[in-house]
Amino acid sequence: MPVKVKIVGVASFLPNGRITSTELEKRILEKSSNIKLPLGSIEILTGVRERRVLDKELNASDLAVEAAKKVLINTSLKIEDIDCLIFAAASGDIAEP
């Protein structure tokens, strides 16, 4: 019997916190006097002007919960309708060695 699988919704949720590349460079220079980094280098090298950052009391899984809520709203599904949830993140709730 063929297995029927389909993706019915996808969502993301970004944290409110933001840090610019310039702010990040200033933090690096304050903590690491041996690094000589001209201001603007990170943005020029990466093309990234601004990053989203989590508040200290939040974890990646908190963002996943908010994204899941968005999927439920956008698809008119109930939690009971979901058989499988896939979560992917560049960073997790705990640091791994």
Side-chain angles (χ1 to χ4, degrees):
M1 177 189 322
V3 177
K4 294 181 181 182
V5 176
K6 65 180 176 178
I7 297 172
V8 295
V10 176
S12 62
F13 187 84
L14 295 174
N16 292 326
R18 298 171 188 235
I19 183 169
T20 66
S21 289
T22 302
E23 292 169 326
L24 182 60
E25 287 171 348
K26 289 177 182 176
R27 284 187 189 182
I28 292 169
L29 293 172
E30 286 172 6
K31 295 182 191 250
S32 305
S33 58
N34 59 331
I35 295 176
K36 306 300 179 211
L37 186 67
L39 284 179
S41 296
I42 291 177
E43 185 175 339
I44 290 168
L45 292 170
T46 65
V48 177
R49 179 175 298 135
E50 176 182 89
R51 291 150 186 80
R52 296 296 187 115
V53 293
L54 276 173
D55 295 334
K56 293 189 187 297
E57 67 276 359
L58 295 176
N59 291 304
S61 60
D62 296 311
L63 300 180
V65 168
E66 295 304 318
K69 289 177 184 177
K70 285 171 63 173
V71 167
L72 292 172
I73 291 167
N74 294 340
T75 60
S76 300
L77 291 172
K78 297 183 295 276
I79 193 72
E80 299 82 27
D81 299 327
I82 309 275
D83 292 324
C84 178
L85 245 166
I86 300 172
F87 167 70
S91 59
D93 288 354
I94 56 172
E96 296 180 31

